[in-house]
């Protein structure tokens, strides 16, 4: 007797929910506009000049308080005297909400004895820009060297994260190929998308070894490896490949119910030619 299960409708519901909850703005971050980059660089130059009143005036009034001047002086102490030998834009992204925009910028300053990383948040309302946040931190070596992909100094957690992500990715890709090759009673396109979906996202920072777990996070392709630039650390994201697991169980039920044919046997087909018995050996001659 055939078993009618609501499991077969899962891919349609999940795919519809994911597509309805995604929009172009949430999937992609656009780079910050050039005017925000130049505004942030001009603002950071005030720290080297020790122009404390101008630094404070450039901040959003909502983040200024009685301790702001003291915090500014502590940040300025990170920057050594003199001009930097190089300034590089290490990170740039911007979001827009209505007529307001927020740019998140990271700069790398090189000095003779150190590197300084500056994180700046520029908020723009009606084309008027203010600083929503600023952070300066010294480094002994550049971000490109700190965040390079290497196995030196890495431990068991790094190996487990890398192997687990590769295995999940390979499993999802193999299942996706199986969906394309196997017959399905209906909605094959939905199953093909559904098997690419993973739930409970595990995010591992290769540089710091920090692990972040998002119980409600979704991950396409089971695993993903992200290193947008040489300044950024390698981020390994993996998940539980729920789509691939559900499909394999559903396909087994389809075969047991006779909805789809069983997989072809790998054994060679039986021969249709009649078997011929070998001739018996001739009788031996009696001894003389």
């Amino acid at each position: 007797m055939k078993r009618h299960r609501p499991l077969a409708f899962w891919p349609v519901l999940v795919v519809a929910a994911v597509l309805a909850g995604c929009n172009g703005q949430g999937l992609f971050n656009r780079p910050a506009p050039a005017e925000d980059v130049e505004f942030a660089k001009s603002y950071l130059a005030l720290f080297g000049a020790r122009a404390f009143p101008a630094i404070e005036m450039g901040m959003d009034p909502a983040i200024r308080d009685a301790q702001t001047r003291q915090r500014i002086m502590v940040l300025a102490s990170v920057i050594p005297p003199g001009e930097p030998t190089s300034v590089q834009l290490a990170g740039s992204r911007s979001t827009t909400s209505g007529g307001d925009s927020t740019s998140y910028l990271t700069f790398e300053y090189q000095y003779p004895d150190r590197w300084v990383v500056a994180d700046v948040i520029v908020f723009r309302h009606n084309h008027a820009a203010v600083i929503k946040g600023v952070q300066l931190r010294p480094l002994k070596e550049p971000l490109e060297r700190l965040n390079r992909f290497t196995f030196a100094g890495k431990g068991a957690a790094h190996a487990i994260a890398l192997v687990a992500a590769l295995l999940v990715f390979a499993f999802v890709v193999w299942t996706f190929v199986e969906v394309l090759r196997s017959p399905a009673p209906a909605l094959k396109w939905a199953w093909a998308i559904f098997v690419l979906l993973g739930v409970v996202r595990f995010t591992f920072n290769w540089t710091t070894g920090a692990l972040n777990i998002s119980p409600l996070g979704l991950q396409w392709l089971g695993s993903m490896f992200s290193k947008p630039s040489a300044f950024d650390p390698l981020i390994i994201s993996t998940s539980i490949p729920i789509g691939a697991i559900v499909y394999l169980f559903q396909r087994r039920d389809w075969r047991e119910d006779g909805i789809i044919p069983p997989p072809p046997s790998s054994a060679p087909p039986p021969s249709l030619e009649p078997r011929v018995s070998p001739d018996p050996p001739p009788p031996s001659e009696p001894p003389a």
Side-chain angles (χ1 to χ4, degrees), residues 202-266:
F202 302 86
T203 305
F204 185 81
N205 186 312
W206 189 262
T207 298
T208 64
L211 175 65
N212 182 56
I213 303 176
S214 302
L216 302 179
L218 301 177
Q219 179 65 60
W220 291 110
L221 298 177
S223 298
M224 191 168 283
F225 303 84
S226 174
K227 196 177 192 306
S229 71
F231 300 99
D232 297 300
L234 172 66
I235 301 298
I236 301 175
S237 301
T238 191
S239 60
I240 300 173
I242 188 66
I245 294 172
V246 169
Y247 168 76
L248 293 177
F249 277 105
Q250 183 64 62
R251 187 178 66 168
R252 182 199 62 182
D253 292 342
W254 286 337
R255 286 173 173 167
E256 291 179 353
D257 294 341
I259 299 176
I260 64 174
S265 175
S266 59

Side-chain angles (χ1 to χ4, degrees), residues 112-230:
D113 62 338
R114 75 187 74 171
W115 284 263
V116 175
V117 173
D119 297 308
V120 185
I121 302 175
V122 179
F123 177 75
R124 193 174 291 274
H125 175 70
N126 293 334
H127 303 289
V130 293
I131 299 299
K132 273 284 190 180
V134 60
Q135 182 66 45
L136 302 174
R137 49 195 170 95
L139 297 176
K140 294 183 178 180
E141 54 184 357
L143 287 173
E144 306 95 302
R145 193 177 304 163
L146 284 173
N147 291 329
R148 70 189 185 278
F149 177 71
T150 178
F151 289 99
K154 307 305 179 185
H158 291 76
I160 293 172
L162 181 60
V163 172
L166 291 173
L167 289 176
V168 169
F169 178 77
F171 174 65
V172 169
V173 172
W174 174 80
T175 308
F176 178 75
V177 174
E178 287 294 300
V179 173
L180 300 182
R181 295 177 55 187
S182 302
L187 304 173
K188 188 172 184 177
W189 63 269
W191 281 106
I193 298 175
F194 182 57
V195 299
L196 301 177
L197 182 66
V199 297
V200 187
R201 185 169 59 243
F202 302 86
T203 305
F204 185 81
N205 186 312
W206 189 262
T207 298
T208 64
L211 175 65
N212 182 56
I213 303 176
S214 302
L216 302 179
L218 301 177
Q219 179 65 60
W220 291 110
L221 298 177
S223 298
M224 191 168 283
F225 303 84
S226 174
K227 196 177 192 306
S229 71

